[in-house]
Amino acid sequence: MQACIVRRSLLLLCTMGSLLALAWPPQSSDKAIVTVHLHSSRKPLSVMELSDPQPASMISPRNPCARDVPSTNLTRADLLVVIPGSLDRFELAKASRVWRQGVPTALIMDQGLHMLQDAAAVQEELSENLEFWGTSPDVPVTDPLKEKAGDFRAALAPFLANKTAAPNSYKWILYGDDDTFWFIDNVLIHLDQLDPDMPYLLSDNIWMKERASDMAMHPNPKAPRCLPCGYTDPLQGQVPDGSFNAPMGCPCSSASLCQADTNNVMYNHTNCGNPWPFVTHVPSPGYWYFIHGGAGAIMSRGLMELTTFERCQEFINGPMPRMSGDAMFTLTVWHMMGTAPTDPGYGFYRPHVQMMDPGWLSGSRTQRGPEDEGTYDGGNDPVGVIRRFQQALDGDVDDQTCEQLDNVLTVHFRGRYAAVDVTSLSPELANQSIGTNNFKATAHLHRHMAQVYHHYGKFLVK
């Protein structure tokens, strides 16, 4: 069903292990998607009540980003955040509670809860925060630069969480790392226009290595993907230069992508009638064509109903080559569910709007460490995102920046470099209490991003 939002004079017509479960009250699943009506007053974006006082730098004399925001039928209780992690990184998962308030969460860890000395107290803490704990053990690595011990856990996490969640208890899964930040209120606005029973794997941050290049990059605008079912846009048909001409996916299949790939970016267009995946220069997703896990991905209830945890576990633990967790996950969705990635939509026709893990660096950056050799990371810019929110609070932004902030869904802190980013934001704080401790730095970034987003939402009330 279609609905409309007016933003800045633009009319947008949107459309392994055992699991300890703590059931939360399931939400009614019979809400119809309805036309969103405009309001004369601005509803705050955030429902969080943060204890941090509002810094003087967050008080602005004017309101450059004020806009009408639709109310939504979708609520935080309709979401399920899934975080693959480990016991030694539990503090990072806890740090994200500052923005996960009211959102049920599955923590898929490397060890069982019973391994904790204070397991009973932790169980009570999990219950208070609408969390449940699942386990999927580490798998030894052979190449530390290309593999992580938790890769298989990362690939299995959404399917394991879905197996244990109470029936009809969620409409959408938000899947990301423990250093992924979700802008929940922006997410609710965008997802409210989509049908959760349509199979969707949503991301606009896709890894792909092109035929004539040795460089793998993300996000890659040439990566094959669909637009949401029923999606229309005032810029419809104005495909940005260098971008894949995304078809509408109801749902997104390899066949629909093959037919749209007239430039033979990844498919042999003349052989679309052959059994999918039709891929010519790579065997299938996972071989440098996959969603970027740090940027996050959104899965619909309809997608998760297409298969079982047991089938996915058998496939992931089967004969496929060892790959990163996000590559194995994408490969599993492709083969077990017959579903390819769908772009969330709004940023597709607007290259300046990257919805999932935007990169607003002043210059190009191809790598931050040796594991990045041969790749290009166009995201992972938490410093740039925080500074743009602060500029908005100071009244020093233009319409394009406001549009970026209104539509950002995730940021990837990339914890192994978090201390460098915190130092860039606040050298004094880094020297006094964080130093080179990346865990502390990542936890600080969760709190800092939540704070500026919270104040941005309060500030935008007309």
Side-chain angles (χ1 to χ4, degrees):
M1 188 171 291
Q2 299 174 342
C4 62
I5 301 173
V6 174
R7 277 189 190 170
R8 308 195 190 293
S9 301
L10 289 175
L11 176 63
L12 172 61
L13 192 59
C14 298
T15 57
M16 85 20 275
S18 62
L19 203 58
L20 257 174
L22 299 174
W24 55 86
Q27 299 296 304
S28 173
S29 60
D30 58 357
K31 294 179 182 176
I33 302 297
V34 298
T35 301
V36 174
H37 300 285
L38 300 180
H39 295 271
S40 59
S41 61
R42 169 69 161 75
K43 180 181 177 181
L45 279 177
S46 180
V47 300
M48 294 185 300
E49 291 298 330
L50 300 181
S51 58
D52 298 334
Q54 180 167 322
S57 63
M58 292 185 180
I59 301 174
S60 175
R62 59 195 182 91
N63 191 345
C65 290
R67 77 232 189 270
D68 291 314
V69 172
S71 60
T72 64
N73 291 314
L74 201 65
T75 71
R76 288 175 170 243
D78 293 321
L79 307 177
L80 174 62
V81 170
V82 177
I83 303 175
S86 58
L87 201 57
D88 63 348
R89 296 170 63 95
F90 185 30
E91 291 301 316
L92 291 189
K94 291 166 66 175
S96 65
R97 288 172 179 167
V98 70
W99 55 261
R100 287 193 285 107
Q101 294 177 24
V103 182
T105 302
L107 305 176
I108 310 301
M109 312 297 272
D110 60 334
Q111 300 179 55
L113 187 59
H114 66 278
M115 298 297 293
L116 298 173
Q117 290 183 347
D118 55 347
V122 173
Q123 181 73 72
E124 184 177 350
E125 182 182 345
L126 295 175
S127 180
E128 292 174 352
N129 288 281
L130 302 180
E131 298 168 348
F132 59 82
W133 182 293
T135 57
S136 179
D138 282 345
V139 175
V141 302
T142 57
D143 186 345
L145 288 180
K146 298 180 180 179
E147 303 170 4
K148 299 182 180 70
D151 282 339
F152 283 87
R153 177 167 57 258
L156 278 169
F159 312 113
L160 190 54
N162 177 65
K163 176 184 178 181
T164 307
N168 296 318
S169 60
Y170 73 86
K171 295 180 180 179
W172 299 93
I173 283 179
L174 310 185
Y175 168 51
D177 295 338
D178 55 17
D179 55 1
T180 302
F181 183 100
W182 288 88
F183 297 90
I184 295 294
D185 297 291
N186 285 3
V187 169
L188 291 174
I189 290 170
H190 281 279
L191 291 184
D192 196 52
Q193 312 308 314
L194 302 181
D195 179 4
D197 292 315
M198 174 67 65
Y200 280 122
L201 172 62
L202 296 169
S203 176
D204 68 346
N205 200 316
I206 301 174
W207 277 101
M208 193 180 81
K209 181 183 288 187
E210 299 173 39
R211 294 172 184 267
S213 174
D214 293 328
M215 178 74 70
M217 66 178 291
H218 77 92
N220 193 328
K222 295 182 180 180
R225 61 204 186 277
C226 294
L227 288 170
C229 187
Y231 182 83
T232 59
D233 193 289
L235 303 180
Q236 198 94 15
Q238 301 177 35
V239 180
D241 290 342
S243 181
F244 183 79
N245 188 7
M248 192 177 299
C250 301
C252 189
S253 67
S254 185
S256 59
L257 292 181
C258 182
Q259 292 165 6
D261 190 8
T262 55
N263 293 323
N264 292 344
V265 173
M266 193 170 78
Y267 295 87
N268 184 341
H269 180 65
T270 61
N271 294 328
C272 289
N274 290 340
W276 71 290
F278 317 123
V279 181
T280 54
H281 75 296
V282 292
S284 58
Y287 297 81
W288 288 120
Y289 168 64
F290 54 91
I291 60 99
H292 177 45
I298 302 175
M299 286 149 281
S300 65
R301 175 178 61 196
L303 176 72
M304 303 308 289
E305 291 175 348
L306 293 180
T307 190
T308 65
F309 166 72
E310 288 74 20
R311 289 189 66 221
C312 294
Q313 183 180 42
E314 181 180 2
F315 181 76
I316 291 170
N317 292 333
M320 81 162 77
R322 181 72 178 262
M323 293 176 283
S324 65
D326 43 13
M328 289 191 287
F329 163 75
T330 307
L331 192 66
T332 303
V333 173
W334 180 281
H335 282 286
M336 295 291 99
M337 302 167 171
T339 305
T342 292
D343 192 293
Y346 189 80
F348 178 78
Y349 291 109
R350 301 164 180 84
H352 62 283
V353 177
Q354 176 68 33
M355 301 179 72
M356 307 183 84
D357 193 32
W360 296 323
L361 300 160
S362 57
S364 62
R365 181 185 66 201
T366 57
Q367 61 180 26
R368 299 192 77 174
E371 73 280 4
D372 294 336
E373 184 177 357
T375 68
Y376 176 83
D377 183 349
N380 182 218
D381 184 24
V383 173
V385 177
I386 287 173
R387 285 178 174 164
R388 292 202 179 194
F389 273 114
Q390 291 174 333
Q391 289 169 2
L393 293 169
D394 291 336
D396 183 24
V397 289
D398 55 20
D399 284 346
Q400 188 175 97
T401 300
C402 294
E403 189 178 21
Q404 292 169 335
L405 297 178
D406 290 349
N407 293 283
V408 62
L409 303 183
T410 68
V411 166
H412 185 208
F413 295 142
R414 205 174 183 195
R416 72 185 70 180
Y417 301 110
V420 174
D421 289 333
V422 171
T423 299
S424 175
L425 282 169
S426 177
E428 182 178 352
L429 173 66
N431 291 335
Q432 289 179 354
S433 60
I434 293 178
T436 59
N437 189 315
N438 285 314
F439 280 7
K440 287 185 177 180
T442 304
H444 171 78
L445 288 172
H446 274 296
R447 293 190 295 270
H448 195 159
M449 189 73 75
Q451 185 185 56
V452 296
Y453 183 48
H454 173 63
H455 291 307
Y456 176 81
K458 290 175 65 176
F459 165 65
L460 290 180
V461 181
K462 282 188 175 180

